[in-house]
Structures are given as C-alpha cells and as structure tokens.
Amino acid sequence: MSDVYTPPAPTAPRTLSETGLSLGFLTDLILKTLFIRGTMLGIELSRQICLPFKILEQALQFLKEEKCVEISGGDLIGTVSYRFGLTEFGRQRARDAIEASAYVGPAPVPVEEYIDQVYRQLVTGIPLTREGIKSAFAHLVITDELVDTIGPAVVSGRAVFIYGPPGTGKTSIARAIGEFFNHSGGEIYIPHAIMADEGIVTMYDPIVHRAADDQADEVGPTSQALVRRLLNEDTLDPRWIKIQRPVIITGGELTLDMLDLRYSATANVYQAPLHIKANGGIFLIDDFGRQICSPKELLNRWILPLEDRHDFLTLANGKKFQVPFEQLII
C-alpha cells in the first residue's frame, strides 16, 4: 500500500497579528487564566494558553502597565521565568472578563484558518488500494465484488448508504471502513477551539478524538516537548492537536439538536456538533430510521450540506457562519 499521507501541520504564530486574535481578547484570556489557576510562571502561562511566550509578553507588559498584573519572583533565565499574579484591580478585571465569557484554555484559532486546514486534509486525499481495503476487511467474510464496491465509495468522499436485512453485517462493514481510516488514513490536525464572530466554539473532544501516538506525551501538563515547541519558531502551533482521523458513531440517540451548536449561556461558550467534529473522518449513523428524529427530518437538515459540502452554524446572537462538511457519511 502507498505511504500514508499526513497534511502539513499548522505552524506556530510569530506575532500577535498572526494569531488572528486581538490584544484585548488575549489580555482577558490571561486575566481569566491567572484568576482560575493563581500565580504562574511565564512558561506555565504560555503552555496553558498554547501560544509562544514572546506573544504573551506584549499582553503581560500591557497588563503590568495597567496595574492588573504584578511580578512576584523570577530568576536569571529571563521574563519567561518570572512569576505573574493578579493585583486586586486585576482580579476585578478578571471577574468582568469571566462574566462576559468563562472560556479558559488554549487560545482559539480563527475560523478561517480552521476552514483552510480542513481542505488540506480531505478524506478524498487518503491513499487507497484494493489490497489496503481487503486488509481492513480481513476479519470479515466478504466477496471480492463487495470490496470492489466499497473502494470507489470510500474514495468518492460522498455519503454511503449500506442496506440489507438484519444480521447481514452492515454495521461490521461500516466499522471496518472506520478501522481503515484509523490505520491507513494518516493523522489530521484539529484546533482545541475556534473563534467565529467573537463566539468561541470548542472543537477537540477527547471522548471522540484520539490523539496521535507521537503526541500522547505532549498533551500532559508536564510535557517538556511541548515547552520546547512553545519557545521555538516554525513548529506545530500548539493550539492544534494531531489526531487519528475521527470515526464518530451515533445511533438511536441522535436528535436534530445534536447537529447544531450546543450553547452554554452561563459560560458563553459553544461546543461543535458531532458532524463537525467528524470532519476529515467518518460520521456513522447506525440503524438509520431508529433515531429520535425521523429520516425525513434528518435528510431535510442535511440536504444542502450533503450537496454543497458545507454547513451553516448559528450563534446565540443569530449570526451564522460557514464551516466545511467534509467527512464520509455512512
């Protein structure tokens, strides 16, 4: 089988403008992080927010001049080793920021950058051969004719409908396609969160996304490898995480609400719907017709996304933004 293709990794930003974020947003994120976690070293703050410290340094200097942040210690390594904490005025500013949005975590990626990355890692870019498909189905008894049918269906990237009487292996075939994606599809990159029209949408979900093996150590809070990346240029942007191509399976519990943004009014943060989390991979609807919503309702919801390969999501303020609909629907 041909070599597995892994798309180019998003590179770490070198300046604040390259992050796509405003100075005001970044200062609020720093204030909230220090409010929740207490005093932190510069390198710890950089690791938590997932931006190089030299970008945070500009925001920290601004907060220091505004008497929101104070330095309580440090050593000879430089500003990155200083210990930063909030002043009383800074704590009040942090409370105001949390009231506006309680999001604390990796800095979000602009939705435009997310869209560009999705199109670099389409399912149609997966190298596929007849031998590769047969290997993925080695544990099943299927005919060569079925293998020859499955291959073009996978390569097309279009929706696949598997039908037949109960007990004929429909789900097993669909799961085998998922295993093929996991082992032969290469890894892709997804952001921890995106920003669309000032709304923050969390994308990475450890329940349905599996971090790549070579990144397993870097998602921990004490990762030295991640620290080195945060200090270097031309490295992976740590706001993104490398994962295996997702295989998201849903059954009778699927409702139309699960296909829209899930909004927390108290935190003012959104969670991406399941089919968007599946971008670059597979979204499997098992036992189609047994969902809480009817097949007609589901197909009406997806009639344009299935045709145009993009979907529109709606924020709480009524504004809509476009995202790719680029996964293999089974």
Side-chain angles (χ1 to χ4, degrees), residues 167-179:
T168 52
K170 299 183 297 297
T171 300
S172 296
I173 290 173
R175 289 179 180 269
I177 296 174
E179 287 298 314

Side-chain angles (χ1 to χ4, degrees), residues 87-122:
T87 63
E88 185 56 41
F89 180 59
R91 280 189 282 273
Q92 182 56 52
R93 286 277 301 274
R95 293 188 190 98
D96 294 340
I98 290 174
E99 188 174 342
S101 172
Y103 177 80
V104 176
V109 171
V111 65
E112 295 81 8
E113 293 185 18
Y114 167 69
I115 292 172
D116 289 343
Q117 186 64 28
V118 168
Y119 288 128
R120 295 189 191 105
Q121 50 198 30
L122 300 176

Side-chain angles (χ1 to χ4, degrees), residues 124-303:
T124 51
I126 297 176
L128 183 145
T129 63
R130 192 171 188 275
E131 292 71 24
I133 286 289
K134 289 187 70 174
S135 175
F137 287 85
H139 62 293
L140 300 176
V141 179
I142 62 174
T143 64
D144 290 342
E145 181 182 2
L146 184 55
V147 170
D148 293 337
T149 301
I150 292 172
V154 172
V155 169
S156 73
R158 311 296 291 185
V160 177
F161 189 73
I162 304 175
Y163 63 94
T168 52
K170 299 183 297 297
T171 300
S172 296
I173 290 173
R175 289 179 180 269
I177 296 174
E179 287 298 314
F180 170 78
F181 269 54
N182 279 158
H183 293 101
S184 304
E187 290 91 10
I188 62 173
Y189 297 92
I190 65 168
H192 288 275
I194 63 173
M195 175 175 281
D197 197 20
E198 299 186 2
I200 299 176
V201 182
T202 58
M203 300 293 293
Y204 173 65
D205 185 347
I207 296 177
V208 298
H209 294 137
R210 191 183 308 172
D213 293 338
D214 62 353
Q215 202 163 7
D217 294 334
E218 297 182 16
V219 296
T222 60
S223 168
Q224 296 302 314
L226 184 54
V227 171
R228 289 194 298 272
R229 280 187 168 186
L230 289 170
L231 295 176
N232 293 332
E233 296 183 358
D234 300 324
T235 59
L236 171 66
D237 186 342
R239 294 179 296 170
W240 298 74
I241 183 167
K242 184 164 67 169
I243 64 167
Q244 294 183 359
R245 289 189 180 267
V247 178
I248 297 180
I249 302 173
T250 182
E253 75 280 4
L254 181 64
T255 64
L256 291 182
D257 290 343
M258 296 168 67
L259 304 179
D260 292 319
L261 290 172
R262 303 180 72 175
Y263 176 59
S264 170
T266 55
N268 195 21
V269 176
Y270 303 84
Q271 184 179 142
L274 285 177
H275 63 291
I276 300 304
K277 292 179 182 179
N279 270 335
I282 288 178
F283 189 52
L284 169 60
I285 303 176
D286 202 9
D287 284 336
F288 184 65
R290 296 188 182 181
Q291 285 67 43
I292 296 175
C293 60
S294 70
K296 182 178 180 180
E297 291 174 321
L298 180 58
L299 293 176
N300 281 339
R301 167 65 178 82
W302 272 352
I303 189 168

